């Protein structure tokens, strides 16, 4: 991708190295003007202070991660997840984020009821749509790779995300987050991206390493793995999305151990050559 102005970097890419403030200052120092926010980091510093730091650096915010995670069959636990998502929407609004990244959640320990979990997750999204609409914050449904179905997301294909949008009457407050790591394997990818069209509210980029050791925390730098990222980007652009390309790398064994200034430099190079 040759348009540097579309580059966004999620602050989780420097999770152990940089504090909230350091990540915003660091990105600004490298000329990156758009980021995504990790709620734990925001809570460490406080929402008011976080909003001020973002504003002081003219930093745009795509998503706030995460809301949702409402699959529990226990009504109290389910309600607590819905309430937490409401707080996430309010926080997103205060920091000027475009959307809350909504993960559906996985299976409760001991449960085998995948379809019930899906139903409850979808119902939770429907429950907070009015809050999102009132705050002007979108709910970005992010399917994860099916290998994470049990742990993190019973919403695991783009087709399912499109179906959920339809079931929610295509409310403009509900969008879809496409993450290369989650969708690259899908034989229906091109077709489902085209179908998603204006629903797409974010595009997350990172690579799938051929010797992946951890399904959540071993994501690769663009160009180091097997995903044809430019192909996916072009499919997304054909569907009408020209927003930020957001680098999001959870990498316990590699990038989280490096000097974060070096990480940003590599991301900028690889975005030009491999996104
Ligand atoms: Zn993502």
């Amino acid at each position: 991708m040759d348009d540097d102005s579309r580059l966004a970097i999620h602050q989780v890419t420097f999770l152990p190295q940089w504090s909230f403030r350091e990540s915003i200052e660091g990105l600004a120092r490298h000329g990156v003007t758009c980021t995504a926010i990790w709620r734990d980091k925001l809570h460490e510093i406080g929402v008011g202070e976080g909003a001020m730091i973002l504003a002081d650096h003219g930093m745009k915010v795509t998503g706030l991660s995460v809301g949702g995670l409402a699959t529990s069959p226990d009504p109290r636990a389910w309600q607590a997840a819905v309430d937490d998502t409401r707080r996430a929407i309010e926080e997103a609004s205060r920091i000027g984020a475009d959307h809350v990244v909504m993960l559906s959640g996985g299976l409760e320990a001991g449960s085998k009821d995948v379809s019930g979990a899906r139903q409850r997750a979808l119902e939770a999204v429907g429950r907070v749509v009015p809050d999102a609409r009132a705050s002007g914050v979108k709910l970005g449904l992010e399917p994860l790779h099916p290998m994470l179905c049990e742990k993190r997301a019973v919403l695991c294909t783009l087709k399912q995300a499109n179906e959920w949008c339809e079931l929610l009457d295509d409310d403009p407050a509900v969008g879809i987050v496409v993450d290369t790591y989650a969708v690259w394997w899908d034989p229906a990818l091109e077709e489902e991206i085209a179908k998603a069209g204006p629903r797409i509210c974010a595009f997350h980029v990172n690579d799938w390493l051929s010797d992946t050791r951890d399904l959540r925390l071993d994501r690769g730098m663009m160009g180091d793995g097997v995903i044809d990222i430019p192909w996916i980007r072009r499919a997304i652009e054909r569907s009408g999305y020209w927003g930020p390309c957001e680098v999001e790398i959870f990498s316990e064994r590699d990038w989280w151990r490096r000097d974060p200034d070096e990480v940003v430099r590599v991301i900028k190079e690889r975005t030009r050559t491999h996104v």
Side-chain angles (χ1 to χ4, degrees):
M1 181 182 71
D2 49 18
D3 181 0
D4 284 353
S5 72
R6 287 179 67 196
L7 173 65
I9 306 180
H10 198 309
Q11 66 175 181
V12 83
T13 304
F14 324 100
L15 185 65
Q17 302 107 308
W18 270 343
S19 68
F20 186 99
R21 177 185 288 279
E22 285 167 339
S23 80
I24 305 309
E25 287 174 353
L27 290 174
R29 192 163 63 238
H30 287 275
V32 178
T33 56
C34 189
T35 190
I37 300 299
W38 191 245
R39 280 180 82 197
D40 291 348
K41 277 216 183 290
L42 179 62
H43 294 167
E44 272 167 28
I45 193 164
V47 181
E49 177 81 7
M52 214 135 65
I53 294 168
L54 289 162
D56 284 350
H57 292 81
M59 193 66 66
K60 288 195 289 285
V61 181
T62 55
L64 176 67
S65 303
V66 302
L69 305 174
T71 51
S72 178
D74 170 1
R76 273 173 307 186
W78 183 84
Q79 187 59 50
V82 169
D83 293 342
D84 185 59
T85 303
R86 290 202 167 107
R87 280 193 293 278
I89 293 167
E90 197 210 315
E91 291 163 11
S93 159
R94 288 177 63 194
I95 63 169
D98 175 73
H99 55 273
V100 171
V101 173
M102 297 285 287
L103 295 186
S104 61
L107 282 184
E108 281 283 290
S111 171
K112 299 186 183 199
D113 182 15
V114 188
S115 67
R118 287 188 171 132
Q119 199 133 29
R120 290 186 287 276
L122 173 60
E123 201 183 322
V125 179
R127 198 62 66 88
V128 298
V129 162
D131 304 75
R133 223 187 280 143
S135 319
V137 170
K138 275 199 191 119
L139 303 167
L141 307 182
E142 181 170 2
L144 295 185
H145 192 280
M147 291 284 274
L148 286 163
C149 183
E150 178 261 330
K151 283 252 176 308
R152 198 85 171 138
V154 289
L155 175 64
C156 40
T157 64
L158 204 48
K159 179 170 191 285
Q160 228 186 323
N162 274 320
E163 285 166 1
W164 284 21
C165 285
E166 283 160 26
L167 289 166
L168 293 161
D169 300 325
D170 250 317
D171 195 293
V174 183
I176 294 177
V177 175
V178 178
D179 188 320
T180 53
Y181 198 79
V183 303
W184 67 275
W185 58 273
D186 188 344
L189 183 56
E190 199 171 5
E191 187 188 331
E192 293 299 328
I193 285 175
K195 204 179 283 180
R199 294 174 184 145
I200 297 174
C201 63
F203 178 41
H204 294 178
V205 293
N206 52 78
D207 216 336
W208 182 282
L209 301 173
S210 65
D211 61 345
T212 282
R213 295 173 200 184
D214 185 295
L215 293 168
R216 267 195 79 211
L217 304 179
D218 192 27
R219 293 181 173 205
M221 179 65 67
M222 299 79 72
D224 288 347
V226 301
I227 306 179
D228 189 345
I229 300 172
W231 181 84
I232 300 178
R233 174 179 57 80
R234 286 192 292 269
I236 284 183
E237 288 167 356
R238 279 197 301 279
S239 85
Y241 177 88
W242 287 89
C245 296
E246 180 183 325
V247 176
E248 180 194 60
I249 303 177
F250 299 73
S251 171
E252 221 166 25
R253 73 165 151 140
D254 190 351
W255 300 98
W256 280 357
R257 294 174 186 223
R258 299 204 195 192
D259 169 8
D261 285 295
E262 179 204 344
V263 178
V264 180
R265 276 195 296 273
V266 175
I267 286 174
K268 289 178 79 172
E269 282 165 28
R270 297 292 185 90
T271 300
R272 287 186 202 115
T273 53
H274 290 87
V275 176

